[in-house]
Amino acid sequence: MKAWRRPSSEADQEGWDQVPEEYTAEEESGGEQGGWVTVSPGAVANVSAVLRWGAWLLLIAGPLLAVAAFLRPVAAVGAPAPAPKSSVVVRDTSGPAGFAQLYVAAYVEAGKGTEASLAPYYPLMRDISLQAEPGAQHVDRLAAVRVTQASPGYWSVTVAALITPSSKTGAASDKTQGGSQDEAGAGPVLRYFQVPVKTAGTGGGYEAAALPAEVAAPATGGEAPQLDYGAPVPADTHDPAVATISEFLAAYLTGGGELDRYLSPGTSLVAVSPAPYTKVSVTQLAEQGGDFAANAPVTEGARRELLVDVAATGTDGQVRPLTYALALKARAGRWEIAAVDAAPRLNTTKENQQ
């Protein structure tokens, strides 16, 4: 190894600047042979900063990537893809109810050899044989009286059907029973059928899931509904309230007179058309919350809720009873019709609910 030192005086500065040729040659050859590379301190600082920031990024990104991987749903191997949901959304029950009525009407009148008439309602009917005689009974009237949703797109519909046996079937039954069948047995009978109805496809159609099941009539409380009105009293045509009601109903049901003159401001009603009656008479009235106040003072803004019984004479000359729940309001010294209520008011007190 060879060494050389710096000159001790400025006089020898010139010698300091001149490096022996043997050292220069040795550095050039030795640097290449030894693989050493000279790096400046600034470059070293830059590399250190890059490495430090890279380490921080890895520390921060690691937990975030782990959380993202945990939250991502993993598809089960071999699991079938979920079936697309039906685009049909039924928000009311008129569709299933109407379908069940048509199905019951066809079912009641079907018989041996006419099974195909039920296939549009119940597809599996093609594999079922009926034993009854077709047309042995027929439906006079029917209506859906209860609709219960069993699950989305699936309902249980109870249909009431007024069914009359055919004359031929009734005679055969009388002969079989030796004439012991009473007269009521040969007339119309109200029967109830429970029908399972489901949506069919995506077009909004329906189909039955089984044959109808005959069931008992829906249970009722057996008591008359309690209305929130006092005892009814006979109508007095000299009472201002009764006079207003009589004239209003005459215009409303017979077409006689202008309807708007009896209405409170903001109340909009249209007369029944064509007019079904030729004459209307108020027979009795009851007032909500107490006894009817005859000839009550017409206090500005006062409101009364009345239950009105009417005898209406039809165009055929027949008299039929009707009942209206009316709201009256006082204005400018007279009673006016504020509303024709959709239903009479029920008494909802606890005493009447027990």
Side-chain angles (χ1 to χ4, degrees):
M1 178 179 180
K2 297 181 180 181
W4 55 279
R5 65 183 181 83
R6 179 179 178 177
S8 57
S9 63
E10 294 180 359
D12 299 330
Q13 183 67 33
E14 183 179 355
W16 169 260
D17 296 334
Q18 296 179 357
V19 181
E21 295 180 359
E22 55 181 323
Y23 285 101
T24 303
E26 183 176 352
E27 289 178 359
E28 293 175 355
S29 61
E32 295 176 357
Q33 295 176 1
W36 292 94
V37 178
T38 303
V39 181
S40 66
V44 173
N46 292 336
V47 172
S48 300
V50 171
L51 293 177
R52 183 168 61 254
W53 282 107
W56 278 109
L57 289 176
L58 290 175
L59 290 175
I60 295 173
L64 296 177
L65 292 174
V67 172
F70 177 77
L71 295 178
R72 184 178 62 184
V74 179
V77 177
K85 295 183 178 180
S86 173
S87 60
V88 178
V89 179
V90 179
R91 301 188 181 279
D92 60 60
T93 57
S94 59
F99 175 86
Q101 293 179 60
L102 294 174
Y103 181 31
V104 169
Y107 168 80
V108 169
E109 299 185 2
K112 186 175 182 179
T114 64
E115 292 86 354
S117 64
L118 297 179
Y121 306 98
Y122 181 38
L124 296 181
M125 194 64 208
R126 299 182 180 90
D127 302 326
I128 300 175
S129 297
L130 299 177
Q131 301 300 318
E133 181 181 350
Q137 53 189 8
H138 64 272
V139 176
D140 294 329
R141 290 189 299 272
L142 47 77
V145 296
R146 177 181 297 172
V147 180
T148 304
Q149 187 170 27
S151 61
Y154 190 34
W155 299 266
S156 174
V157 183
T158 301
V159 177
L162 190 61
I163 299 175
T164 302
S166 66
S167 57
K168 181 178 179 180
T169 304
S173 178
D174 288 343
K175 183 177 180 180
T176 302
Q177 298 181 16
S180 62
Q181 186 179 16
D182 56 19
E183 295 181 0
V189 178
L190 186 60
R191 296 160 64 180
Y192 294 84
F193 297 88
Q194 189 169 276
V195 181
V197 180
K198 62 182 292 292
T199 55
T202 59
Y206 302 95
E207 63 183 8
L211 288 171
E214 187 154 358
V215 296
T220 61
E223 299 179 357
Q226 298 296 319
L227 300 180
D228 192 23
Y229 300 89
V233 299
D236 180 4
T237 57
H238 296 92
D239 188 307
V242 177
T244 296
I245 294 172
S246 298
E247 294 173 4
F248 161 72
L249 290 176
Y252 186 64
L253 297 175
T254 69
E258 183 181 354
L259 191 64
D260 291 343
R261 61 179 296 187
Y262 305 106
L263 303 181
S264 293
T267 302
S268 179
L269 291 173
V270 179
V272 179
S273 180
Y277 302 101
T278 60
K279 182 181 177 181
V280 174
S281 300
V282 178
T283 57
Q284 62 181 13
L285 306 92
E287 189 154 4
Q288 183 189 11
D291 294 334
F292 178 79
N295 297 303
V298 187
T299 305
E300 186 72 17
R303 187 180 177 94
R304 303 173 68 181
E305 302 285 344
L306 303 178
L307 190 66
V308 181
D309 290 337
V310 175
T313 303
T315 56
D316 56 358
Q318 303 300 315
V319 179
R320 292 175 175 83
L322 303 172
T323 300
Y324 290 89
L326 302 178
L328 271 62
K329 188 174 182 179
R331 186 179 71 92
R334 66 192 187 100
W335 293 106
E336 297 177 331
I337 304 298
V340 177
D341 294 334
R345 298 179 181 272
L346 293 175
N347 190 331
T348 57
T349 59
K350 293 183 179 179
E351 290 79 4
N352 287 282
Q353 292 178 350
Q354 293 178 351

